Amino acid sequence: MGITWLDYYCDDSPTKGHLLVGATRIDGGTVYKCSACHRVKWMPDNIEECIKLGNFMKIYGQDGGYQRILDKHPAARKLMAKIQDIYYLRKALTPEQFPIAVAAVIMNKEYPFDVEVKEDEVP
Ligand SMILES: [Zn+2]
């Protein structure tokens, strides 16, 4: 499954929009997490990359454009893919099955040891 763009509508939010909070910085961007539905999106911090993302989305659609900008940020793409896998596993599995499935995701994809989290860049 490709990484999908987090759209505007949030089922779990009282405002029906996501309540996004910057969670961590990685690979020239920030991972934002919705405090209502706990879904995430990565956005580039650099204005040129933001413009590139907007242009890609115009050409390839939201998900296609998002995947193309993530292709240029492999560490961010890897982290987003894992977070998305774990999100869908949580929806699909029982609480008893879930930890084992998460362990499999982590072991197969070497998370988080190959991910460079740049917390020290936060101003
Ligand atoms: Zn949300």
Side-chain angles (χ1 to χ4, degrees):
M1 185 195 301
I3 299 168
T4 54
W5 174 251
L6 186 61
D7 213 338
Y8 302 108
Y9 189 80
C10 180
D11 280 331
D12 300 331
S13 158
T15 63
K16 297 300 168 203
H18 295 291
L19 306 172
L20 294 174
V21 179
T24 189
R25 299 187 73 209
I26 181 171
D27 205 353
T30 300
V31 177
Y32 296 91
K33 178 171 173 284
C34 175
S35 57
C37 68
H38 307 293
R39 297 179 72 190
V40 294
K41 80 161 90 173
W42 179 88
M43 290 279 287
D45 293 333
N46 181 290
I47 185 65
E48 278 97 47
E49 291 296 287
C50 290
I51 292 167
K52 216 180 278 177
L53 172 60
N55 289 338
F56 282 153
M57 283 182 158
K58 274 181 215 153
I59 299 166
Y60 303 108
Q62 284 192 337
D63 291 346
Y66 188 43
Q67 284 159 20
R68 273 168 180 84
I69 199 80
L70 285 171
D71 284 346
K72 298 182 181 304
H73 297 269
R77 185 185 56 187
K78 196 174 268 189
L79 179 62
M80 295 308 291
K82 285 166 196 166
I83 292 171
Q84 185 172 287
D85 282 351
I86 291 169
Y87 176 83
Y88 286 113
L89 285 171
R90 190 165 65 93
K91 295 233 151 189
L93 300 178
T94 66
E96 291 75 26
Q97 294 169 316
F98 180 66
I100 295 163
V102 169
V105 169
I106 292 167
M107 303 274 287
N108 289 343
K109 299 181 182 176
E110 296 158 23
Y111 170 79
F113 309 106
D114 56 344
V115 174
E116 189 189 354
V117 178
K118 295 171 177 172
E119 294 279 21
D120 56 343
E121 279 183 8
V122 177

